[in-house]
Amino acid sequence: MQRNIFIVVLILLIFFVISFLTNILGPIIPDIVKSFNLSIGLAGFLPFAFFVAYGVMSIPAGLMVEKYGEKKMLILAFLLAFAGALLFAFIPSFSIALSSLFLIGIGMAILQVVINPLLRVAGGEEKFAFFSVLAQLFFGAASFLSPLLYSYLVLNVHSEQSGFLLDILNDLVPENLKWVSLYWVFAVIALAMVVVISAVKFPKVELLEEERIDVGKSFKELAANRYVWLFFLGIFAYVGTEQGIANWISQFLQTYHNVDPATTGASVISYFWGLLTIGCFLGLILLKLIDSRKVLIFFTAGAVISLLAALFGSKDIALQAFPITGFFASVMYSVIFSLALNSVPRHHGTFSGILCAGIAGGAVVPLIVGGLGELVGLQFAMLFLLIPLAYILSIGIWAKPLITNDTITSLKDIF
């Protein structure tokens, strides 16, 4: 099949947009708390509304893609994201925020299901690994840049600064809710993606066996395997930990160190995602040298130490330790996912759907942290994150994959 580099570029852009919309919650939580006079516990429902959509939609989206095709599902996903962002931009309130984030979350869940098989076909199977890593780079770049956009908008909307974008946002956004300008930007981005995708001709995607989702016989077979659910909990624990840290960093720094969430708080979250991206690439090198289970144990132990330093250290230590926690979290998702798929001999597509549903951990864990924050304060509430981290570390001990990662044993293996 003729490869389509334009489709590859479009998919990389979609990866960027997914991350851009997904990872902005952490920086804006302090503003939402202040604007709507929320408790920490209620604020925990914001990431819950977004990430629970993954648990609801991951498997149905896989079935819908086979029935309706990639193009229609991509358009639907961005229309949902557009509707969610526009709804919140027009009616900024807490209840609307929950509905908006759920709609955007469903859209992002659909996108996650569609783009990997599409990337394989458009870029070619022989280059799929390269383009997958490149996609992660785009994903990480968006995670790094979105908090910086938030800082720019909050500091410049309704200020002495002027410009085409700022003048429009000044007319649309209430002066006391400058952060809502982000959702106007998101709405425009989502609508632009709908227009672009509508104009593009997509290649026909024949799903491989490991990409298909079967809710019949294969699901029953997998459901009877206890390791399937143990690895599901691993993905649940990882995404819960990642979001439990990222979503509460800014609020923690504001509460305990009087850090401005619009400037320093946003920068720390930006560096958290930046180091997480860098860690992914260093992790790829380590996985060529060391068994993935040992890498998982080492990086998880580093995350535990960094998190404790961030929670109980001084302001300067916290500003450094939170981003370093992101670095140590970097390899967890890919290692857990690969260990899981390498632990069953077949039905990898259905298993992948089950694992992707575990992204709902990003809904539950931040909500628990918020609830505990009401009782014992956010500092001690974030110690709850040690529980999912301990579970992730345990995976490196009990996992027994049928196939282990290929490591370099001599210099000849490099070439």
Side-chain angles (χ1 to χ4, degrees), residues 59-70:
I59 291 178
L63 300 175
M64 291 170 68
V65 169
E66 289 198 57
K67 182 175 182 180
Y68 299 108
E70 288 73 21

Side-chain angles (χ1 to χ4, degrees), residues 187-203:
V188 171
I189 290 173
L191 185 59
M193 293 301 296
V194 170
V195 173
V196 171
I197 291 168
S198 298
V200 173
K201 183 178 180 180
F202 283 79

Side-chain angles (χ1 to χ4, degrees), residues 328-393:
F328 283 116
S330 60
V331 304
M332 295 179 187
Y333 183 87
S334 57
V335 170
I336 296 169
F337 213 98
S338 62
L339 283 172
L341 294 183
N342 286 337
S343 297
V344 298
R346 54 189 175 273
H347 308 315
H348 290 147
T350 305
F351 192 12
S352 294
I354 294 171
L355 292 173
C356 286
I359 295 176
V364 177
V365 174
L367 182 63
I368 292 174
V369 171
L372 290 174
E374 289 290 295
L375 300 175
V376 298
L378 189 56
Q379 183 180 45
F380 288 102
M382 291 184 73
L383 288 176
F384 177 81
L385 298 171
L386 296 178
I387 296 175
L389 281 170
Y391 184 80
I392 293 169
L393 190 146

Side-chain angles (χ1 to χ4, degrees), residues 219-233:
F219 185 87
K220 291 179 181 178
E221 183 178 327
L222 288 169
N225 185 338
R226 71 186 181 94
Y227 281 102
V228 168
W229 301 111
L230 289 174
F231 280 113
F232 166 82
L233 288 176

Side-chain angles (χ1 to χ4, degrees), residues 209-255:
E209 186 278 331
E210 62 265 26
E211 294 171 337
R212 293 184 180 276
I213 293 178
D214 176 14
V215 294
K217 182 180 178 181
S218 63
F219 185 87
K220 291 179 181 178
E221 183 178 327
L222 288 169
N225 185 338
R226 71 186 181 94
Y227 281 102
V228 168
W229 301 111
L230 289 174
F231 280 113
F232 166 82
L233 288 176
I235 296 296
F236 189 97
Y238 166 72
V239 181
T241 300
E242 175 198 272
Q243 295 300 319
I245 296 171
N247 284 324
W248 292 116
I249 285 176
S250 193
Q251 185 67 48
F252 177 91
L253 292 174
Q254 182 187 44
T255 302

